[in-house]
Amino acid sequence: MSSILVSLETGVLTITLNRPDKLNAFNPEMHQLLRQALERARDEEKVRAVLLTAAGRAFCAGQDLSERNVSPGAAPIDLAISLGSHYNPLVRQLRELPKPVVCAVNGVAAGAGANIALACDLVIAARSASFVQAFSKIGLLPDSGGTFFLPRLIGTARAMGLALLGEKLTAEDAAQWGLIWKVVDDAQLMTEALSIAEILSAGPTKGYGLIKKAFALSATNTLDAQLDLERDLQRQAGFSEDYREGVAAFKEKRKPAFKGK
Ligand code: LHQ
């Protein structure tokens, strides 16, 4: 059974983490297949939004801790190799994909699993889901962008509490804290997530890509630099077919037919 399932329907590429008996923990194969699926999302014009979710009761338990011999007696392992070759490229790929990525968190998201979810553009969680910065429980620090995303999303006080204590944050608290977009009843998760992904897949894809770029750069820009960036990106957006269609549809009081061009 493949550790990643991929299907394309109405412009939405649904990617499902599929190691449910391992709580969808990452092993090298799952990394490789996920990266390939995201490359497909980038390259195929038909793909206009991505929906990332997972099979079974968990979203993802982070690194598969049973993969290696980590024990007091064993030789030390260089974790930078795993981050450099797997997790960091994955986070960059999600952030740099010029198409929106919706993440439907169906259950617990722990360690790198939580931070991969937060690297997506719009996170929707089932009421029974939770987020755990489990790293400190095993002597590590949040990785996969955790130390970047957490303080920016919820402020340093809450980010530090989560990172130091490694406690479970319920999906409801995550939504209330502004860590994620929203929480829905478990039974509604996939319907709601798919409906959002379909709205996005029928939207102005180029404009969405530019929104992602502007937000990414705002993390380090001054206001002056960001204003210049908005000017430059808006020039590009204004040259898109979808901008012309959007304005025409508004004037004609009809629904726009965006082509993602
Ligand atoms: C697992 C795992 C798991 C294997 C549960 N692996 N089996 C990057 C670079 C390189 C190296 C280091 O890491 C990283 C990034 C990281 O992600 S580090 C953080 C790794 N992840 C964790 O530390 C999470 C560990 N798991 C947990 O804290 C809990 O299991 C969670 C909160 C995910 C779920 O709790 P429960 O719902 O209470 O389930 P459980 O604890 O009973 O787990 C169920 C089974 O899944 C159990 O196996 P068993 O044979 O007893 O049924 C766990 O051992 C196994 N499992 N996570 N990451």
Side-chain angles (χ1 to χ4, degrees):
M1 200 171 52
S2 175
S3 56
I4 294 283
L5 306 176
V6 184
S7 68
L8 175 62
E9 223 168 299
T10 54
V12 178
L13 191 76
T14 299
I15 304 175
T16 306
L17 310 180
N18 190 39
R19 300 184 76 220
D21 51 326
K22 294 278 182 189
L23 304 189
N24 302 307
F26 275 102
N27 66 359
E29 187 204 64
M30 196 166 97
H31 271 296
Q32 195 198 345
L33 295 177
L34 179 54
R35 299 272 307 282
Q36 279 172 8
L38 289 169
E39 276 165 21
R40 177 177 169 196
R42 180 197 59 201
D43 295 342
E44 267 186 38
E45 212 176 305
K46 274 190 288 186
V47 177
R48 294 184 45 201
V50 172
L51 174 56
L52 176 65
T53 190
R57 76 169 177 94
F59 173 71
C60 175
Q63 170 68 30
D64 189 333
L65 298 175
S66 60
E67 281 272 302
R68 308 187 178 103
N69 176 22
V70 181
S71 62
I77 290 173
D78 184 351
L79 299 183
I81 295 174
S82 173
L83 291 181
S85 54
H86 294 304
Y87 291 92
N88 290 357
L90 171 59
V91 172
R92 291 192 174 105
Q93 216 182 356
L94 286 165
R95 301 303 277 195
E96 287 164 14
L97 186 76
K99 301 174 184 178
V101 183
V102 177
C103 183
V105 181
N106 52 299
V108 63
N115 297 335
I116 296 302
L118 299 181
C120 297
D121 301 311
L122 199 151
V123 186
I124 173 167
R127 209 167 292 283
S128 69
S130 55
F131 297 82
V132 197
Q133 295 297 320
F135 306 89
S136 61
K137 301 275 190 198
I138 54 170
L140 300 181
L141 69 147
D143 60 26
S144 306
T147 61
F148 182 90
F149 300 126
L150 288 167
R152 283 171 173 77
L153 288 165
I154 56 176
T156 310
R158 283 172 159 169
M160 197 58 102
L162 292 181
L164 290 176
L165 299 174
E167 287 175 4
K168 262 188 193 178
L169 183 73
T170 64
E172 279 195 43
D173 282 345
Q176 223 165 41
W177 286 15
L179 187 69
I180 61 170
W181 172 242
K182 66 157 126 170
V183 59
V184 295
D185 288 339
D186 289 23
Q188 294 308 311
L189 178 71
M190 287 319 290
T191 319
E192 187 87 18
L194 195 58
S195 136
I196 292 173
E198 281 173 355
I199 289 170
L200 293 170
S201 77
T205 314
K206 278 201 169 162
Y208 291 154
L210 296 172
I211 290 172
K212 285 186 67 162
K213 195 171 198 176
F215 273 44
L217 293 169
S218 84
T220 49
N221 266 348
T222 59
L223 173 61
D224 254 1
Q226 194 67 12
L227 288 172
D228 287 349
L229 178 75
E230 287 176 1
R231 176 201 60 208
D232 294 344
L233 297 183
Q234 203 70 297
R235 173 183 294 126
Q236 288 182 43
F239 288 152
S240 70
E241 278 182 33
D242 284 342
Y243 167 63
R244 291 194 286 272
E245 166 61 9
V247 174
F250 175 76
K251 286 188 185 153
E252 292 159 24
K253 298 192 187 301
R254 62 173 172 82
K255 222 175 137 233
F258 292 123
K259 295 194 186 112
K261 293 189 174 163

